[in-house]
């Protein structure tokens, strides 16, 4: 029986990348920077966003899209701190968010009335690195309760991110965590990585984070690292 | 999960190229996996083989090649010319 060969040459991610480009275009046109927060589960993404919405919510119009494998718990937590709609994306088992979900979520967001879009990705330091959501920048969060060698264990995520937030620094007195070593490991993977050192409980370091968000919103795009 | 969703996308691309009614006639799907694509080769191969051996596919197999770079792409689809109308 004859076998016919069809040449394809199609990138598997082509569909996602196409939609991501569309999202990026819409955000650029509206002058809305978008930060995709990526981390392992429990690093403090939601806590950082809760405090950010609480303290910057009157000043900046921040839209949030949260991704979770199951439940809308994060979106419900964040909704308590803002009058704006917090969009929950339940991935139903998928380990990452994709550009299609962001495009759908943005249908409910009036970009003309938005200064900043923050995506809280699914807690996973592997898969979200591969998916372009149309964001301005990926920002990786890791906490002092994790190992200093997280950047070496998950290099792709640290390579793909432009900034890192080292969270829960109020716990440093109780832990053998070596901050300098963590930063050194991260910069071995990505020498350009800019750091924030924060505690969402004590508020330490948050002013730098807020300054960055304010500047980004003012410029209508990511601020060069 | 990540590898499974990528393998499902390979099946979607295959279907776009041969049509749903011809999926049972697919014999081989050529795929290139970049060594910096973030794809775990063994898991991806297992997921894709599992999908290609179940309906609507029949005796399809994946021919996966590692390549330098960060892209994952479908390179070709081989289909049995069972029905002249296909």
């Amino acid at each position: 029986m004859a076998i016919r060969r069809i040449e394809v040459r199609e990138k598997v991610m082509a569909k996602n990348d196409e939609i991501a480009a569309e999202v990026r275009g819409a955000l650029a046109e509206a002058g809305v920077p978008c930060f995709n927060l990526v981390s392992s589960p429990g690093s403090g993404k939601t806590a950082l966003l809760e405090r950010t919405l609480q303290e910057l919510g009157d000043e900046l119009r921040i839209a949030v899209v949260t991704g979770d494998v199951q439940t809308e718990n994060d979106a419900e937590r964040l909704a308590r701190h803002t009058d704006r709609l917090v969009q929950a994306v339940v991935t139903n088992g998928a380990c990452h968010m994709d550009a299609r979900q962001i495009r759908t979520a943005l249908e409910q967001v009036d970009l003309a009335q938005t200064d900043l879009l923050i995506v809280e990705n699914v807690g996973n330091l592997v898969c979200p690195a591969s998916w372009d959501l149309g964001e301005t920048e990926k920002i990786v969060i890791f906490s002092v309760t994790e190992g200093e060698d997280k950047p070496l264990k998950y290099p792709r995520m640290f390579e793909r991110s432009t900034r890192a937030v080292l969270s829960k620094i109020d716990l440093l007195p109780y832990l053998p965590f070596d901050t300098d070593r963590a930063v050194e490991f991260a910069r071995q993977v990505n020498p350009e990585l800019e750091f924030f050192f924060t505690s969402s409980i004590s508020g330490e370091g948050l002013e730098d984070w807020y300054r960055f968000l304010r500047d980004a919103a003012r410029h209508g795009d990511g601020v060069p690292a | 999960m990540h590898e499974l969703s990528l393998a499902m996308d390979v099946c979607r691309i295959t279907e776009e190229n041969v049509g749903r009614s011809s999926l049972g006639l697919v014999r081989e799907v050529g795929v290139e996996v970049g060594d910096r694509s973030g794809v775990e080769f063994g898991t991806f191969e297992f997921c894709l083989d599992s999908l290609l051996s179940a309906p609507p596919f029949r005796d399809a197999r994946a021919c996966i090649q590692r390549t330098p770079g960060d892209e994952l792409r479908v390179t070709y689809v081989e289909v049995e010319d069972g029905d002249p109308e296909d």
Side-chain angles (χ1 to χ4, degrees):
Chain A
M1 196 160 284
I3 300 285
R4 180 164 49 100
R5 177 183 277 232
I6 302 167
E7 296 299 329
V8 180
R9 310 291 309 166
E10 184 175 338
K11 278 166 66 181
V12 171
M13 304 290 277
K15 197 126 218 159
N16 182 76
D17 293 350
E18 197 181 294
I19 299 171
E22 195 187 304
V23 169
R24 187 167 283 117
L27 292 169
E29 198 176 314
V32 177
C34 169
F35 300 113
N36 176 6
L37 304 190
V38 289
S39 79
S40 50
S43 64
K45 290 187 296 299
T46 312
L48 178 65
L49 278 181
E50 279 182 304
R51 186 125 186 190
T52 303
L53 289 175
Q54 209 175 306
E55 295 184 349
L56 278 192
D58 290 340
E59 193 182 326
L60 296 179
R61 296 168 298 178
I62 305 173
V64 181
V65 180
T66 66
D68 259 313
V69 172
Q70 275 307 339
T71 83
E72 296 185 2
N73 291 357
D74 288 355
E76 285 165 14
R77 268 175 69 183
L78 294 172
R80 290 183 208 125
H81 302 280
T82 176
D83 295 333
R84 294 176 64 91
L85 177 69
V86 177
Q87 300 257 27
V89 175
V90 178
T91 64
N92 281 314
C95 51
H96 58 271
M97 294 173 86
D98 60 42
R100 188 181 42 94
Q101 293 161 334
I102 302 301
R103 183 176 64 182
T104 305
L106 287 186
E107 286 169 8
Q108 307 297 322
V109 177
D110 181 356
L111 289 178
Q113 298 298 319
T114 302
D115 298 317
L116 190 63
L117 172 66
I118 299 182
V119 177
E120 181 186 350
N121 214 313
V122 174
N124 176 345
L125 269 180
V126 184
C127 307
S130 301
W131 299 84
D132 182 4
L133 305 184
E135 72 272 348
T136 311
E137 299 181 27
K138 280 187 176 64
I139 298 179
V140 63
I141 300 179
F142 72 120
S143 62
V144 299
T145 55
E146 304 171 48
E148 294 100 339
D149 58 352
K150 267 278 155 76
L152 300 182
K153 286 182 172 172
Y154 301 92
R156 193 173 160 83
M157 190 61 93
F158 285 81
E159 272 168 25
R160 293 283 165 118
S161 299
T162 43
R163 293 165 213 277
V165 175
L166 184 65
S167 61
K168 307 188 190 181
I169 58 168
D170 53 304
L171 296 177
L172 278 172
Y174 313 104
L175 298 166
F177 187 90
D178 184 336
T179 304
D180 291 342
R181 205 154 160 254
V183 172
E184 189 189 315
F185 285 149
R187 294 214 168 117
Q188 274 177 32
V189 173
N190 179 353
E192 308 295 323
L193 202 64
E194 292 280 321
F195 263 89
F196 299 98
F197 303 93
T198 65
S199 163
S200 300
I201 300 293
S202 72
E204 200 179 339
L206 289 178
E207 204 37 59
D208 290 341
W209 167 246
Y210 296 154
R211 191 175 308 119
F212 159 68
L213 294 179
R214 279 191 200 104
D215 285 350
R218 194 175 312 126
H219 289 253
D221 204 340
V223 181
Chain B
M1 279 310 295
H2 173 111
E3 276 71 17
L4 179 57
S5 61
L6 293 173
M8 287 170 79
D9 257 358
V10 170
C11 296
R12 175 187 59 76
I13 291 170
T14 303
E15 184 177 335
E16 280 172 7
N17 279 274
V18 305
R20 185 159 182 84
S21 59
S22 298
L23 287 177
L25 299 173
V26 171
R27 286 295 157 265
E28 191 167 289
V29 180
V31 182
E32 286 177 357
V33 179
D35 54 14
R36 288 173 52 79
S37 62
V39 176
E40 205 291 301
F41 192 89
T43 308
F44 176 70
E45 187 177 36
F46 178 71
C47 291
L48 188 53
D49 276 343
S50 303
L51 291 171
L52 291 179
S53 59
F57 294 96
R58 275 205 297 267
D59 296 319
R61 62 181 287 273
C63 177
I64 307 178
Q65 285 189 311
R66 293 177 201 250
T67 54
D70 58 8
E71 283 187 0
L72 172 66
R73 64 169 82 224
V74 178
T75 50
Y76 64 86
V77 179
E78 284 187 353
V79 197
E80 204 174 90
D81 262 336
D83 184 335
E85 286 176 13
D86 281 342

